[in-house]
Amino acid sequence: MSTVPLTKRGAELLKEELQRLKSKDRPEVINAIAEARAQGDLSENAEYESAKERQAFIEGRIADLEGKLGSAQIVDPAELNAEGRVVFASTVDLENLDSGEKVTYQIVGMDEADIKESKVSVTSPIARALIGKSAGDVVAVEAPSGVKEYEILEVRYV
């Protein structure tokens, strides 16, 4: 099994979700199934079917999270010493060379990616273009709207 890269914060969020699923959501759905069974005929019981589907989703998500956390390689950005290079978990300040717009992204695992929080997946085109580069380098990123060039202004490990 391959390792799943996660930031320290990302691993904490997955652990919190796993705990909630096991301690809150799973017991709730078990109660819902028991209540639906108490209503009698299960062949046309929509509440029962809905609860069973919810249970399958919860159990699948629990298994998924346990697998990811079991094979996780947790990276604390504060402990990185990549000599100024862009690596997983680093935060990168960029300038779009066409528009002059400045953006900041942190490179994170797939489960942590959230563009609204400026977190991009390590598998995204921009992250793949940035990995291994340093401040002052210019990278070309293949975007849906065409190739965009960015200059790396600063690389931080926070």
Side-chain angles (χ1 to χ4, degrees):
M1 181 184 288
S2 63
T3 60
V4 177
L6 289 172
T7 64
K8 188 175 178 184
R9 178 70 183 135
E12 289 169 4
L13 291 173
L14 292 183
K15 287 176 186 175
E16 288 171 12
E17 181 184 357
L18 181 60
Q19 181 62 30
R20 180 185 46 83
L21 288 170
K22 286 182 168 183
S23 65
K24 182 178 178 282
D25 295 357
R26 182 188 266 168
E28 284 176 0
V29 79
I30 289 171
N31 287 338
I33 291 170
E35 288 175 18
R37 277 192 174 151
Q39 294 175 8
D41 184 15
L42 299 180
S43 64
E44 295 182 17
N45 189 328
E47 288 85 11
Y48 178 76
E49 290 302 318
S50 176
K52 289 297 283 182
E53 286 177 18
R54 177 90 175 120
Q55 182 184 37
F57 172 80
I58 289 170
E59 295 302 326
R61 184 67 180 155
I62 287 172
D64 185 45
L65 290 174
E66 287 177 338
K68 287 178 181 176
L69 289 168
S71 63
Q73 176 185 0
I74 300 173
V75 178
D76 184 353
E79 296 177 4
L80 291 176
N81 181 13
E83 300 171 356
R85 289 188 333 270
V86 177
V87 294
F88 179 82
S90 59
T91 300
V92 187
D93 297 326
L94 304 169
E95 180 178 356
N96 184 319
L97 294 180
D98 294 328
S99 67
E101 176 188 10
K102 294 182 180 177
V103 293
T104 299
Y105 295 121
Q106 181 182 22
I107 299 174
V108 297
M110 290 190 311
D111 290 314
E112 304 170 75
D114 185 350
I115 197 67
K116 292 175 188 165
E117 292 184 21
S118 298
K119 296 182 179 206
V120 295
S121 170
V122 68
T123 60
S124 69
I126 194 160
R128 289 195 316 257
L130 292 171
I131 296 289
K133 304 294 191 290
S134 302
D137 289 349
V138 173
V139 297
V141 179
E142 187 71 42
S145 60
V147 176
K148 294 186 178 193
E149 286 191 328
Y150 293 92
E151 179 181 353
I152 301 172
L153 302 175
E154 184 180 4
V155 180
R156 295 176 280 132
Y157 310 104
V158 290

